[in-house]
Amino acid sequence: MRVPLGISRRGFLALGGAALAAPLLSHKAFAALPTDRPLHGMSAFGDLKYPADFPHFDYASPDAPKGGTFNFSPSYWYFNQSPLTFNTLNSYALRGEAPPRMEMCFSSLMVSALDEPDAIYGEVARSVTIAPDRNSFLFRIRPEARFHDGTPIKPSDIAYSFRLLKEKGHPQLMLPLRRMAAAESDGETFKLVLDGKQSARLILQLAGFPIFSEADIEANGFERAATAPLLGSGPYKVGRVAPGQSIEYERVADFWGRDLGVNRGLYHFDRIRIEFYGDRQAAFEAFKKGDIKYREEATSRIWATGYDFPAVQEKRVVKREFSSELRPVMQAWALNQRRAQFKDMRVRQAIALCFDFEWTNRNLFFNAYARSQSPFERSDFKAEGVPSPEELVLLEPWRGKIPDAAFGEAVIQPVSNGSGRDRKLLGQAARLLKEAGWERAGALVRKDGGTLVLEIMVEDDSLARVMGPFVENLRAVGVDARIRQVDSTQYEKRQRSFDFDMVMMAASFTATPTRDEVLDSFHSDTASSEGSHNLPGTADPAVDALIDAAGAAETRAELAVALRALDRVLRARLDWIPNWFSANHKSAYWDAFGFKEPKPDYGFPVEALWWWDKAKAQAIGL
């Protein structure tokens, strides 16, 4: 499946997740994969599900018809993409905002299977051979692979793409490529050489990176005019574009890889159309009219009360929940510790105490959500109870240098009395602020005269509404709190440059997180890297060491131990204030689609899995 092997993130009101933890697989290390032998796929732990030359993934639908237009509102996005507007068609650079699903226009060496937690299979690469030292990977390239202009995808194009992304790519791509020592090519093969310092699982991420045409980039540049796309080679290409308003992706009928097992039975729609709305309510009204045919509802109030319009009553629109993926998820507020007032952990604890989840969930969310506690929520990487002996082995060297709370019961956020103004919790917040050196003088001030100001930056009306009671509680304890709503472009610019006090972020890691995925959010190397998702500026040697331990894990059990230990430290530090999550995809769609059930466990790209059902569409008057 053409889903980047990274994390998709952006602040939005509700993030779905799986109700079950990702299952423990056999303790077969990545190192057990054979060397000096061509492989059709790779997996971090456990055997591959699919043999060489498999006909299609089990979740694909090879007999489904092709045709129709899928007009939808994306619920997730990658890199510099935005669901609100766009001013570039390059998803792989830092600058600008690109439309979601641009990744469907590009092929890659290998692609992930959505019914396995960590398996990838060859697409442009016919096979991969691992060197005995496991630091280099030789990919044999399919001679039939083509760009959309008919020119072949040469090994030299792939080598050029990796070097380009290492130099000019989005930080989420540049970061793992730091471990690339060389990208080499000859007539039939591409060789990726790593420096020996990489996590064993890094190759699973790198093999999914996009491939560009060297001739196209050299002729037209990497960053180009807003309506000029990069030359792709995937199942879709860019069609009609109205900058900032809409984009259509057209199915490539003669897509070179359509009959490969990794692609057969997918990508059924002739066109995929995305329209952009700066206002959430305007997007909902467009869905009610049928201008949009599929959406995932992110506002619990609308999900509970808004789906009573005629098309629902006439059963032309279906309202349904689908289980979310078996992947670690996080939704939390980031307090920017590059600003002195938030470096003191007591200040962060006080701010967290002012959020009354119980009141918010009952009065604003219609009890639709659960309280988030962990950056690895709903996975076997989430810490529970007291540390295991194996976790203590990793934690003990840092005793006295990390919060003592990391050695006790896993930290959970306090439960309020649900009144919206819990005096006990607010009293605790006031005492913590006083201990941190802030005195009440109307507002909270320090001896140097500084005032404790907290600006919560949002880009959405619905989120601003949710923040209102939180802000009132913060003001009750003396914090000069305020909500700053900005447009999408300004929000992205300020978040990328860490110009904020507090923002919200939703993140979904892969089912078997790599070191570089975790590093991007929590490691000191990314604390000052513009465009990274280390939004709080976490820079702690203990956190770094635990991320390194996760990267060195040779079994899934070892990975779980390292990430649980990391979870304990992150939760005790409270760089991120966990807020809420949803167990399911809250989906609504016009009843004109066919799809296969059950959905795969590790991804839900509706635009690639579903198809237009003419009989259903005619039955509801479409």
Side-chain angles (χ1 to χ4, degrees):
M1 212 31 250
R2 196 165 313 282
V3 177
L5 296 177
I7 50 180
S8 61
R9 0 164 150 231
R10 177 102 169 248
F12 58 94
L13 204 56
L15 177 71
L20 301 174
L24 284 171
L25 303 181
S26 63
H27 292 176
K28 179 178 178 181
F30 186 88
L33 288 174
T35 60
D36 280 340
R37 192 177 87 190
L39 305 173
H40 72 286
M42 294 186 288
S43 176
F45 308 113
D47 294 320
L48 293 169
K49 175 180 177 179
Y50 296 98
D53 299 321
F54 65 96
H56 58 81
F57 290 129
D58 287 348
Y59 52 81
S61 303
D63 296 327
K66 304 294 185 184
T69 297
F70 188 60
N71 191 329
F72 79 123
S73 295
S75 61
Y76 61 90
W77 40 93
Y78 299 96
F79 309 126
N80 69 348
Q81 296 174 1
S82 169
L84 302 178
T85 188
F86 66 97
N87 50 33
T88 179
L89 297 182
N90 185 348
S91 284
Y92 303 107
L94 175 61
R95 191 174 71 180
E97 293 175 291
R101 301 304 174 270
M102 190 60 65
E103 64 276 3
M104 297 181 76
C105 298
F106 296 88
S107 299
S108 57
L109 288 167
M110 306 183 83
V111 295
S112 58
L114 300 184
D115 53 356
E116 296 179 85
D118 50 29
I120 58 174
Y121 296 89
E123 186 184 36
V124 172
R126 174 184 294 170
S127 66
V128 56
T129 301
I130 306 173
D133 64 3
R134 301 185 184 278
N135 291 330
S136 65
F137 302 82
L138 186 70
F139 297 89
R140 188 161 295 279
I141 305 307
R142 298 183 191 273
E144 67 269 29
R146 292 286 187 274
F147 289 106
H148 292 152
D149 65 354
T151 58
I153 298 177
K154 302 187 296 286
S156 58
D157 290 307
I158 304 170
Y160 178 87
S161 299
F162 274 78
R163 292 193 292 265
L164 176 70
L165 290 171
K166 183 176 181 178
E167 178 186 356
K168 297 181 178 180
H170 189 278
Q172 289 179 35
L173 299 164
M174 293 174 66
L175 185 66
L177 285 170
R178 293 187 308 174
R179 302 273 72 90
M180 185 181 79
E184 304 167 350
S185 64
D186 63 19
E188 297 180 352
T189 63
F190 162 68
K191 186 177 183 180
L192 181 64
V193 183
L194 306 180
D195 63 8
K197 300 177 182 179
Q198 73 279 359
S199 162
R201 298 182 301 279
L202 178 61
I203 188 61
L204 302 180
Q205 184 176 4
L206 297 181
F209 280 12
I211 296 171
F212 307 121
S213 163
E214 179 178 4
D216 172 63
I217 299 295
E218 288 299 306
N220 302 302
F222 186 52
E223 296 183 358
R224 56 187 69 175
T227 57
L230 305 175
L231 179 62
S233 57
Y236 286 88
K237 63 181 179 181
V238 174
R240 290 188 296 180
V241 175
Q245 299 178 37
S246 65
I247 185 169
E248 287 187 1
Y249 299 103
E250 298 176 352
R251 185 171 61 83
V252 179
D254 60 350
F255 169 46
W256 71 269
R258 64 186 179 279
D259 293 325
L260 297 178
V262 296
N263 293 318
R264 187 181 292 119
L266 302 171
Y267 314 117
H268 307 291
F269 296 107
D270 281 348
R271 284 171 297 282
I272 295 173
R273 179 177 174 85
I274 300 172
E275 297 184 33
F276 294 78
Y277 299 90
D279 178 76
R280 192 183 296 258
Q281 185 60 37
F284 183 49
E285 293 300 323
F287 172 74
K288 290 163 66 175
K289 291 189 297 181
D291 294 339
I292 294 173
K293 298 298 190 297
Y294 176 91
R295 66 183 260 120
E296 286 192 32
E297 186 53 65
T299 304
S300 55
R301 174 181 55 84
I302 293 178
W303 186 250
T305 65
Y307 286 84
D308 59 353
F309 51 92
V312 174
Q313 297 166 357
E314 297 162 0
K315 301 188 183 304
R316 300 167 68 211
V317 166
V318 178
K319 178 188 176 189
R320 175 177 170 181
E321 296 193 19
F322 294 88
S323 62
S324 286
E325 287 64 70
L326 307 183
R327 298 169 58 167
V329 296
M330 173 179 77
Q331 185 162 299
W333 290 294
L335 278 166
N336 189 356
Q337 293 174 51
R338 301 168 189 84
R339 300 188 171 176
Q341 64 266 37
F342 306 122
K343 289 184 178 180
D344 193 312
M345 192 171 69
R346 292 169 295 189
V347 173
R348 302 197 296 273
Q349 289 173 327
I351 291 170
L353 285 164
C354 291
F355 175 57
D356 191 328
F357 169 76
E358 285 68 31
W359 184 92
T360 303
N361 195 34
R362 186 180 70 250
N363 290 277
L364 301 181
F365 293 161
F366 295 83
N367 290 317
Y369 300 122
R371 184 69 191 263
S372 183
Q373 302 289 352
S374 165
F376 307 113
E377 196 64 59
R378 269 199 302 260
S379 75
D380 56 330
F381 309 131
K382 178 182 177 181
E384 302 281 0
V386 298
S388 67
E390 294 81 6
E391 291 171 54
L392 286 173
V393 169
L394 299 177
L395 293 170
E396 282 294 350
W398 302 100
R399 191 178 285 274
K401 299 177 182 178
I402 58 177
D404 290 341
F407 294 92
E409 293 277 343
V411 172
I412 61 172
Q413 296 305 300
V415 177
S416 77
N417 62 15
S419 66
R421 189 67 67 90
D422 189 318
R423 293 186 178 183
K424 180 180 177 181
L425 296 183
L426 295 181
Q428 292 177 18
R431 288 191 292 273
L432 284 167
L433 291 167
K434 186 173 183 179
E435 291 172 10
W438 295 93
E439 298 288 342
R440 267 314 269 273
L444 289 166
V445 297
R446 288 188 302 238
K447 290 181 180 180
D448 63 8
T451 302
L452 183 53
V453 176
L454 174 63
E455 180 183 273
I456 304 173
M457 187 172 70
V458 302
E459 59 175 340
D460 185 278
D461 289 333
S462 298
L463 195 55
R465 172 176 168 267
V466 171
M467 295 297 98
F470 187 13
V471 166
E472 290 179 11
N473 279 345
L474 288 164
R475 290 174 176 169
V477 298
V479 179
D480 183 5
R482 61 196 70 167
I483 299 169
R484 177 71 179 276
Q485 185 172 347
V486 299
D487 63 34
S488 176
T489 301
Q490 186 178 359
Y491 186 95
E492 286 295 323
K493 181 178 180 180
R494 290 185 58 181
Q495 179 173 291
R496 289 172 187 167
S497 61
F498 308 122
D499 181 18
F500 60 85
D501 290 344
M502 189 168 93
V503 293
M504 191 168 84
M505 187 178 79
S508 175
F509 297 91
T510 57
T512 306
T514 67
R515 176 182 182 273
D516 293 276
E517 281 185 72
V518 182
L519 184 149
D520 183 52
S521 293
F522 309 121
H523 198 283
S524 59
D525 281 358
T526 57
S528 58
S529 177
E530 183 174 342
S532 83
H533 291 97
N534 188 346
L535 301 182
T538 302
D540 185 325
V543 171
D544 296 349
L546 293 170
I547 292 174
D548 290 341
E554 292 189 352
T555 68
R556 191 174 181 87
E558 291 178 4
L559 178 64
V561 168
L563 291 180
R564 287 172 193 156
L566 173 63
D567 184 30
R568 292 181 187 280
V569 176
L570 293 173
R571 288 160 69 175
R573 283 178 52 90
L574 205 66
D575 299 330
W576 300 85
I577 300 175
N579 45 48
W580 59 85
F581 63 83
S582 173
N584 299 308
H585 295 281
K586 295 179 172 63
S587 299
Y589 53 93
W590 286 76
D591 193 14
F593 303 108
F595 51 86
K596 188 173 185 177
E597 298 197 75
K599 61 173 284 296
D601 286 337
Y602 300 102
F604 191 41
V606 175
E607 63 280 6
L609 297 172
W610 290 19
W611 61 88
W612 184 257
D613 188 314
K614 289 184 178 180
K616 283 187 173 182
Q618 291 173 356
I620 64 172
L622 294 181

